[in-house]
Amino acid sequence: MTLRTLLLALAVALAVLLHCRCCHAFTSRASPVARPSTGRQTATIGLFGKAADEDEDRSRPNIVVIRTHEDYVKFLEEDDRLCIIKYYATWCKSCQRFGAKYRHLAFDEGDRINSEGQIYHTGSVRFAEVEYAASAKLCKTLRVKKLPTVHMHRKGSGRIADICCKPSQFQIVVDEVHRLLEGEPAQSATDVTLETENKANATSASFDTAMSDGSSLADEIATSLQQEEKKVGISMAEEVMTSLAEKEGSGKKEKQWFPFTF
């Protein structure tokens, strides 16, 4: 009786043990045990950081488009930073090359916006652009006669610089922006423009001088050739006259040596 009871108790204990193991296995599959945070959270943070970097890579300069006089006044009166406005035309190839360098300068010195159009970086300069055909009345009011042209404004001082240059001379614009940001006085509109025009005029003058020198040299050569031709013609005429005179003289001598008498 005692052995039978012992075996029964052992069987019950074994059944309880197996049941506990089965329940533990089923519970671990349905409800996994929470684990302490490891490198996965760091990886998630790194993922968000990478997304922020990609958003910054997709950023672009904030260049305000001005179409009307109201847009023009609103842009200049917004804050006290240096304002730069580019005037261009869509059909102008020089304006296209100039615009690429202008956007690069705006990215370096101006505001930047992300893919959603929000400003995430504030620059020291504000940039805008005006298309001539879309805002012809505004451009005529501002006396824009050449393209591309850049105007620089400061609140309280009005227009402080007026630059019209070729795309290859865009460094003039960059140097002027850096001068103004460093607090140096602005050059007058005529000074910056005349500097470029004087170089062009000097090149044109040297070209005209060379052409005039070349034309005078050509005139001298032509004159000398004409003189030589005249000399050659005169000498040839003299030779012909001499030969004719000699022939006439020989004919007279022949008549004298062979007289005919009847």
Side-chain angles (χ1 to χ4, degrees):
M1 186 69 179
T2 305
L3 181 60
R4 188 174 179 181
T5 304
L6 184 61
L7 291 174
L8 183 59
L10 184 62
V12 171
L14 183 61
V16 171
L17 181 61
L18 291 175
H19 178 73
C20 291
R21 287 188 176 182
C22 292
C23 291
H24 177 70
F26 181 79
T27 304
S28 62
R29 291 179 181 177
S31 302
V33 179
R35 298 179 181 178
S37 61
T38 57
R40 290 189 177 182
Q41 186 175 1
T42 305
T44 305
I45 296 175
L47 180 62
F48 282 106
K50 184 178 180 181
D53 294 337
E54 291 178 354
D55 186 56
E56 184 175 357
D57 293 337
R58 290 194 298 268
S59 64
R60 62 184 185 275
N62 183 27
I63 301 178
V64 180
V65 178
I66 296 176
R67 294 187 176 88
T68 62
H69 182 74
E70 289 75 14
D71 297 338
Y72 178 78
V73 174
K74 181 180 179 181
F75 174 75
L76 296 179
E77 296 295 331
E78 186 170 340
D79 55 33
D80 297 332
R81 288 181 291 171
L82 177 66
C83 297
I84 301 178
I85 304 176
K86 177 195 70 173
Y87 299 87
Y88 73 103
T90 54
W91 47 263
C92 176
K93 293 184 179 180
S94 296
C95 295
Q96 295 174 5
R97 296 192 298 270
F98 190 93
K101 298 182 179 182
Y102 185 78
R103 287 190 295 272
H104 184 75
L105 178 62
F107 186 85
D108 292 339
E109 303 293 344
D111 298 340
R112 300 177 190 173
I113 56 178
N114 55 21
S115 57
E116 298 178 356
Q118 299 176 351
I119 298 176
Y120 75 92
H121 172 79
T122 302
S124 55
V125 184
R126 298 176 59 243
F127 291 83
E129 61 184 11
V130 178
E131 206 281 319
Y132 191 89
S135 307
K137 185 176 180 181
L138 177 62
C139 293
K140 291 179 181 178
T141 303
L142 299 174
R143 297 180 180 178
V144 177
K145 298 180 180 179
K146 297 181 180 180
L147 299 175
T149 294
V150 172
H151 290 175
M152 299 184 185
H153 302 258
R154 195 184 293 278
K155 190 175 182 180
S157 301
R159 187 193 304 178
I160 57 178
D162 183 356
I163 302 175
C164 179
C165 61
K166 299 177 181 179
S168 59
Q169 299 171 328
F170 188 79
Q171 189 61 36
I172 297 176
V173 180
V174 178
D175 294 340
E176 185 67 12
V177 171
H178 291 165
R179 286 182 65 262
L180 295 174
L181 291 178
E182 291 173 359
E184 297 182 11
Q187 296 183 5
S188 62
T190 54
D191 290 340
V192 180
T193 307
L194 285 178
E195 182 179 356
T196 305
E197 292 181 353
N198 289 335
K199 293 180 180 179
N201 292 334
T203 304
S204 178
S206 61
F207 178 77
D208 293 339
T209 303
M211 290 297 293
S212 61
D213 294 340
S215 61
S216 61
L217 180 61
D219 293 338
E220 291 178 0
I221 294 172
T223 304
S224 62
L225 288 175
Q226 289 176 359
Q227 292 176 356
E228 291 292 335
E229 288 178 356
K230 288 180 180 180
K231 290 180 180 179
V232 172
I234 292 171
S235 60
M236 289 180 65
E238 290 177 352
E239 290 179 359
V240 171
M241 293 297 293
T242 304
S243 61
L244 290 174
E246 291 177 351
K247 288 180 179 180
E248 289 179 357
S250 61
K252 289 180 180 180
K253 289 181 180 180
E254 289 178 356
K255 288 181 180 180
Q256 291 176 358
W257 281 101
F258 299 99
F260 291 92
T261 59
F262 294 94

